[in-house]
Amino acid sequence: MSATTSPSGNSSGRATVPPSGPASARPTGRSVPAAGPAGPGGPSGPGGPGDRGRSYKGGKARPRWGRIALVAGGVALILALVGGIYAVNYVNGIDNDLKRTDAFSEITTDRPAKTVDGAFNILLVGSDSRDPDAKEDQANAWRADSLMIMHVPADHKNAQLVSIPRDLWVVVPSGNNAPCSSGSRAKINASFAFGGLPRAVRTVECLTGVRLDHVVAIDFGGFKEVTNALGGVDLKVDQTITSIHKPFRVFKKGMMHMNGAQALDWVRQRKQFARGDFARMQHQQEFLKALMDKAASSGTLTSPGKLDDFLTAVAAAVTVDNDFSLKDMVLQFRNLRGDNLTFLTSPNKGSETINGQSVVVSDKEKALALFEAMKADKMTDWMAANPSKKS
């Protein structure tokens, strides 16, 4: 967790996002390859089979950050399959199953330039239209609760994931293709309400100056199912709490083995912690690492049935941009696992009250330095100079 963070307010601040239309259905043509030795690998609430296949652009929303974890965990799992034509064909089949959304077409001018060949950045978005904290639960709306930029350096040997607080006070451009200076100030998660996923992409690029190459959105139901497909995960509970959501689970201090429903409940808690949303972001990051490590070490890789269940859950849980290629990600991420990842939080000065709202205020100078390092693919240098900023 960033050393600059301080307690966050508990106001909801969720943005309701209108649907932008149905996504086209994609055929399923996968068969499970015969299991072989595992190769190098690295890399939620309600929602069950009935939630699968719904478009991120329309229908019921795709939910919150936990799905982000899915991406890295799912990608990590598939890495171990790379090694034969059957594995490649299998990954191609999963690629066809992924739901797609057009995240960039409305943004055609003044985008940040691509600065380093081979390096790339993925915007990870988590949202949930069924979040019990939300004041409304409209059938055709979704809310963004988590944003991360995953930076993969040109050598693809590690990755850094930078969390952006959902209540960060930013300028949201007035249009999806409008100048960065043209908008008004609001919490960053309001960008979804103003213009859907493209507006969020525009807002993040304007805020950071970093070009986003891909977008991955992950939902709550998938978070639960993917965790279950791995047999659960072990998570550290830093203080004993009782969940504020039914069935009011008790999380006892220490290491706890959690199934999908329990882990989902845990990473949604914030009101019981002095650091509020900052504590929740930390728990989300810890979950992501645990999921990836479990995916790389579990018996999933050598069991065709378990592997198919896991990857089916991953495909159902994520929505990606039109140019996202899972096969490419498999090849590029083949050496990634939990130990190769560094979790960071965008530098900030903690919470303040502005216009009657509890918001997070950016530490502009420090944030600028971090994102300049990301643009230049010099995150290793930045982290060496800022060791206390690692989560």
Side-chain angles (χ1 to χ4, degrees):
M1 197 52 148
S2 169
T4 60
T5 57
S6 64
S8 169
N10 289 329
S11 59
S12 172
R14 288 182 172 76
T16 301
V17 181
S20 56
S24 58
R26 297 185 178 273
T28 300
R30 287 187 279 123
S31 60
V32 183
S44 333
D51 287 328
R52 294 182 180 176
R54 289 194 179 118
S55 167
Y56 180 73
K57 297 172 71 177
K60 284 199 175 180
R62 302 235 72 75
R64 162 183 355 223
W65 125 281
R67 332 349 142 207
I68 293 172
L70 274 274
V71 157
V75 166
L77 236 290
I78 304 169
L79 312 177
L81 294 175
V82 177
I85 186 64
Y86 297 107
V88 173
N89 287 340
Y90 187 66
V91 173
N92 282 338
I94 298 171
D95 235 337
N96 291 335
D97 289 348
L98 292 174
K99 295 172 290 296
R100 304 275 173 175
T101 187
D102 198 341
F104 298 102
S105 68
E106 298 179 45
I107 311 171
T108 58
T109 60
D110 298 328
R111 293 190 64 198
K114 182 80 173 177
T115 53
V116 178
D117 289 340
F120 59 94
N121 304 298
I122 303 174
L123 180 65
L124 303 174
V125 179
S127 68
D128 186 13
S129 64
R130 295 158 296 178
D131 188 337
D133 285 341
K135 294 186 181 350
E136 297 180 10
D137 187 14
Q138 301 174 1
N140 293 318
W142 63 280
R143 298 170 179 85
D145 285 298
S146 298
L147 289 170
M148 277 187 170
I149 300 176
M150 181 176 186
H151 174 73
V152 181
D155 62 12
H156 300 166
K157 292 182 179 179
N158 52 58
Q160 297 81 41
L161 292 94
V162 180
S163 292
I164 300 176
R166 66 176 188 173
D167 291 342
L168 192 67
W169 193 242
V170 301
V171 174
V172 178
S174 59
N176 294 348
N177 200 37
C180 292
S181 60
S182 67
S184 57
R185 288 199 169 269
K187 295 179 181 181
I188 195 166
N189 71 335
S191 61
F192 293 89
F194 296 161
L197 191 56
R199 188 71 61 87
V201 170
R202 183 66 167 172
T203 302
V204 172
E205 288 191 339
C206 287
L207 171 70
T208 64
V210 172
R211 185 179 182 89
L212 300 174
D213 299 287
H214 295 292
V215 175
V216 176
I218 310 173
D219 74 33
F220 257 144
F223 169 65
K224 176 182 175 182
E225 292 180 19
V226 172
T227 305
N228 286 340
L230 288 174
V233 292
D234 295 323
L235 295 174
K236 181 181 178 181
V237 176
D238 37 20
Q239 71 180 63
T240 298
I241 64 165
T242 298
S243 171
I244 62 174
H245 307 132
K246 293 180 180 179
F248 308 114
R249 296 177 178 88
V250 175
F251 295 95
K252 295 184 178 180
K253 184 176 180 178
M255 293 299 295
M256 284 187 64
H257 183 78
M258 301 186 194
N259 62 23
Q262 292 169 324
L264 168 64
D265 197 8
W266 168 248
V267 300
R268 282 163 50 199
Q269 304 303 312
R270 63 187 175 92
K271 294 183 178 180
Q272 305 95 316
F273 300 100
R275 293 181 296 125
D277 271 341
F278 292 107
R280 177 161 65 176
M281 280 192 294
Q282 178 182 341
H283 297 155
Q284 291 169 346
Q285 293 171 344
E286 291 169 349
F287 165 76
L288 173 54
K289 184 179 185 300
L291 184 67
M292 293 163 66
D293 286 342
K294 184 67 178 290
S297 63
S298 72
T300 304
L301 297 175
T302 56
S303 170
K306 290 181 179 179
L307 180 62
D308 192 52
D309 287 346
F310 177 81
L311 296 177
T312 295
V314 169
V318 302
T319 300
V320 299
D321 63 88
N322 288 335
D323 294 328
F324 182 95
S325 168
L326 187 56
K327 184 170 69 174
D328 288 346
M329 293 299 155
V330 165
L331 296 173
Q332 293 166 347
F333 287 176
R334 64 184 177 275
N335 294 319
L336 283 186
R337 58 181 68 206
D339 290 342
N340 302 106
L341 302 181
T342 302
F343 295 90
L344 307 162
T345 299
S346 181
N348 62 82
K349 298 179 179 179
S351 299
E352 295 182 12
T353 299
I354 299 178
N355 296 338
Q357 301 181 70
S358 177
V359 303
V360 176
V361 178
S362 177
D363 186 325
K364 294 182 180 179
E365 182 177 347
K366 293 178 180 179
L368 177 62
L370 184 154
F371 292 119
E372 286 293 324
M374 184 179 289
K375 284 195 296 183
D377 197 20
K378 294 183 177 180
M379 287 295 290
T380 300
D381 294 342
W382 185 91
M383 290 186 294
N386 298 272
S388 64
K389 302 301 187 292
K390 297 179 183 180
S391 294

